Amino acid sequence: MTSTVWLSLVSATLVISLTPGAGAVNTMSNSLTVGWRRSIWGIIGQQLALLVHVIIVAAGVGVLVTSSPPLLTGIRYAGAAYLAYLGIRLIVTKTKATTDDGATTISNSTGSAFGMLRRGLWVNLLNPKAIVFFLAFIPQFIRPDEPLLPQYALLTVTVVCVDVLVMWGFFASAAKPFRRYVSTPRGQRVLNIVFGSLFLAVAVLLLFIH
């Protein structure tokens, strides 16, 4: 991969990562509830999903998925249902006192490292648009006449690094000014409703926009 192609890849990935979606909502929600530093666990989960998507496309499974409307529809419904579940769960979550660093205490392991990692994984994994997107995106930066493994490795590292920087450096950081609102039960409640509603909105978009 030439430097020009790589810079094009970085630019394209940056634009894509900055586009608001379920991953951004999940990252900002985590940053508000558990703090900026610990929100990295949800971001790691989202990156694991990206790795799976790249592998799916590289293995040719993506073509099978996109060529099977019932399978793609099933994944789309599952993704929308999961996002709706996250939204409703956040809305009905009982607010609790904040910790010394201002992070909100969440019950049912929602704020645990494993819980955030798992949630981030499923948020990105159950997004059929990601498979379709990578199917159209990856071939533009892969030359079949050159060794494939180094190209896929560089592409994967680039996509993951850029997305981590955007999610943690932009979206998670963007939530910091609102941290003062989680210091009161009322503020926590309002933010839970806001982000729960955002999850529901993304679920509706995923379900009805083809």
Side-chain angles (χ1 to χ4, degrees), residues 145-167:
D145 57 329
E146 296 182 2
L148 295 179
L149 185 58
Q151 294 185 77
Y152 274 107
L154 179 58
L155 182 144
T156 302
V157 170
T158 301
V159 169
V160 168
C161 287
V162 171
D163 197 58
V164 168
L165 288 175
V166 170
M167 289 297 153

Side-chain angles (χ1 to χ4, degrees), residues 22 72-86 122-128 199 202-204 206-207:
L72 194 61
T73 299
I75 296 175
R76 182 161 55 88
Y77 283 151
Y82 185 66
L83 292 177
Y85 160 75
L86 292 179
W122 286 111
V123 162
N124 269 6
L125 198 59
L126 290 175
N127 185 2
F199 271 121
V202 176
V204 171
L206 181 60
L207 191 61

Side-chain angles (χ1 to χ4, degrees), residues 22-23 25-27 29 80 82-84 86-88 90 119 123 194-204:
V25 174
N26 185 57
T27 297
S29 176
Y82 185 66
L83 292 177
L86 292 179
I88 294 172
L90 193 58
R119 188 165 62 249
V123 162
V194 169
F195 280 94
S197 300
L198 288 175
F199 271 121
L200 291 174
V202 176
V204 171

Side-chain angles (χ1 to χ4, degrees), residues 8-95:
S8 299
L9 172 64
V10 171
S11 300
T13 305
L14 186 61
V15 172
I16 295 159
S17 296
L18 285 169
T19 304
V25 174
N26 185 57
T27 297
M28 294 182 72
S29 176
N30 286 337
S31 182
L32 281 169
T33 56
V34 302
W36 177 78
R37 284 180 295 181
R38 292 194 63 222
S39 68
I40 188 63
W41 290 107
I43 296 172
I44 291 175
Q46 292 170 199
Q47 304 317 307
L48 291 177
L50 290 184
L51 291 178
V52 173
H53 285 309
V54 172
I55 292 173
I56 287 175
V57 173
V61 180
V63 177
L64 297 178
V65 173
T66 55
S67 62
S68 175
L71 180 57
L72 194 61
T73 299
I75 296 175
R76 182 161 55 88
Y77 283 151
Y82 185 66
L83 292 177
Y85 160 75
L86 292 179
I88 294 172
R89 183 181 182 184
L90 193 58
I91 291 173
V92 302
T93 295
K94 294 182 179 180
T95 57

